[in-house]
Amino acid sequence: MDADQLEWNRTLREQWVVHWDNQLRGRLDGLTDDEYFWSPVPDAWSVRPRGSSTAPVQAGAGDFTIDYAVPGPGPAAFTTIAWRLGHVIVGVLAARNAAHFGAPAASYETWTYAGNAAAALDQLDTQLGVWLAGVRNLGDAGLRLPVGPKEPYPEASMADLVLHIHRELIHHLSEVCLLRDLYLHTQPTANGATR
């Protein structure tokens, strides 16, 4: 098949959906609150009950806030699963869904962060659904349009943005899976030994 006949919109959506369906989503099933908040190192950034953070910035509108700093520290702070999911849900998906697909406005400062793993996964599933529907509705012609002033590179195409968001999703959610593996292999088993 030649590139002019390829259904680019479907191809770009499948880049994410195949990875999500076959490698990531099943790895997130059963995520516990202990894993969600677990910090393998001291002073990791996380999502915390309002008022309990020592990070330079505690962003969020609800009972939980996400740790942050502007500019970010060097080296970058280590982050928990809760933080990484919060970043993906808000900074990667919800803000883009609002900017490009008519979803409600979203930012780190205005988001109501999930106080448990199940709520975070529900937020993730919701934002992914909005994202994929928005990309689908672009069609092939919409992928060629510039992203405009709501993005750092306004002249880039929507296809460029879709590829970037999919890389971000694969990258950060793979980190979440790695943290789950680390948690599993560092927690005591029933006989007191670690795995």
Side-chain angles (χ1 to χ4, degrees), residues 52-95:
S52 66
S53 174
T54 60
V57 176
Q58 301 98 50
D63 293 337
F64 287 81
T65 61
I66 195 166
D67 296 338
Y68 227 80
V70 178
F78 190 88
T79 58
T80 64
I81 290 174
W83 191 96
R84 291 166 200 244
L85 288 177
H87 170 64
V88 166
I89 292 163
V90 180
V92 176
L93 290 169

Side-chain angles (χ1 to χ4, degrees), residues 84-129:
R84 291 166 200 244
L85 288 177
H87 170 64
V88 166
I89 292 163
V90 180
V92 176
L93 290 169
R96 274 22 185 277
N97 288 338
H100 301 288
F101 302 133
S107 70
Y108 289 111
E109 295 79 17
T110 62
W111 193 258
T112 301
Y113 291 92
N116 62 63
L121 293 178
D122 285 346
Q123 287 181 349
L124 177 62
D125 287 335
T126 297
Q127 293 305 314
L128 283 170

